Amino acid sequence: MTISVAVADDQALVRVGFCGIIAATPGFTVVGEAANGEEAVAVARAAKPDVVLMDVRMPVLDGIEATRRITTSAEASGVRVIILTTFDLDEYVFGALRAGASGFLLKDTLPADLLTAIRVVAAGEALLAPTVTRRLISEFAARPRQLPPPQLDAVTSREREVLTLIGGGLTNQEIAAQLHISLATARTHVGHLLTKLMARDRAQLVITAYETGLVTPRPPPR
C-alpha cells in the first residue's frame, strides 16, 4: 500500500530535498507541497495525504496553527502530521502535540529514520525524536502530581494499566507481554482508550497519562 505524503516548508531547497527522498522510495508518493501554513492546510484538505511533514516556522500561518486546523478539519479527516524543525524547544513540542501532531522530529534526522517515522505515523502510531522524548518526560516530571480528572472515570482499572504503559513508551507488543495478554487484547484496550478519552492517537494518550499523574517519572540525572 502506497503512503501519500505532503511536505510543508518555506525553504524551497529543504522542501525539494524531502520530496526527493520520499518520491525516490518505493511505497511512498508525494501528493503536494506547501510554502506556508495556509497552503499546507489547503493541500491537506484537497489531497488528503496520509501524512503531512510540517515545518514549524513558516510565513502567513505557522506550523502549529496549521496543524491544529488540519487535525480539527472534517475535510482533512485522517490526515496525520509530523512536525519537522531545527528547534527542539519545549514550547514547540507541547504546542505541536496539543495541536494534534502525531510525530515530532528534528531536521537533522537521517533519511532512513524519516521514512520510518512516516510509516509509523501513517499506521496510526505516535513518534517523537529521542531528544524530544527526554525533554517531554523531564518537563512533566517537574510538575506537581495531579488527581485523575473526571474523564478517567469511564476508564477501567485494566485500561488504566494500559494507559500507564503507553505513557511509559511501550508498544502494543510490549504491553501484551507486560500484562500477559494477547496482542489483539492489547490493541482492543488501546482502541477503547482512544474512544473513551477522545484522543486522536497515541501521542495524545501519552499526554493524558502524564497530565493525570498516572506516569510521574523521575527527572533525568544532572
Side-chain angles (χ1 to χ4, degrees), residues 82 97 102-105 113 116-118 120-121 125-129 203:
I82 296 177
L97 294 179
S102 297
F104 192 107
L105 291 174
D113 293 335
T116 296
I118 294 173
V120 168
V121 170
E125 299 287 344
L127 186 141
L128 297 173

Side-chain angles (χ1 to χ4, degrees), residues 173-217:
Q173 288 184 326
E174 292 169 335
I175 290 172
Q178 181 86 7
L179 299 180
H180 304 290
I181 58 178
S182 69
L183 178 58
T185 300
R187 287 173 175 162
T188 297
H189 286 314
V190 173
H192 288 167
L193 286 168
L194 290 169
T195 300
K196 290 181 179 181
L197 300 177
M198 294 183 288
R200 178 180 172 86
D201 55 27
R202 238 179 155 84
Q204 294 190 337
L205 290 181
V206 170
I207 289 177
T208 299
Y210 282 110
E211 290 185 331
T212 58
L214 289 179
V215 178
T216 52

Side-chain angles (χ1 to χ4, degrees), residues 51-52 58 77 99 109 114 116 135 169 187 189 192 201 219 222:
V51 176
V52 175
M58 291 188 292
S77 176
T109 298
L114 172 64
T116 296
R135 293 173 71 90
R187 287 173 175 162
H189 286 314
H192 288 167
D201 55 27
R222 294 180 179 277

Side-chain angles (χ1 to χ4, degrees), residues 3-49:
I3 298 174
S4 57
V5 182
V7 179
D9 196 299
D10 63 325
Q11 297 182 49
L13 287 178
V14 173
R15 192 170 66 248
V16 169
F18 282 133
C19 288
I21 292 170
I22 295 165
T25 305
F28 292 84
T29 183
V30 176
V31 296
E33 298 181 37
N36 59 61
E38 191 172 89
E39 290 180 5
V41 175
V43 168
R45 290 173 175 170
K48 295 180 175 59

Side-chain angles (χ1 to χ4, degrees), residues 45 57-58 62 80 90-91 101 108 125 151-152 206:
R45 290 173 175 170
R57 295 189 174 187
M58 291 188 292
D62 66 61
R80 298 182 180 278
D90 292 332
E91 62 208 68
D108 60 2
E125 299 287 344
Q151 68 176 358
L152 289 188
V206 170

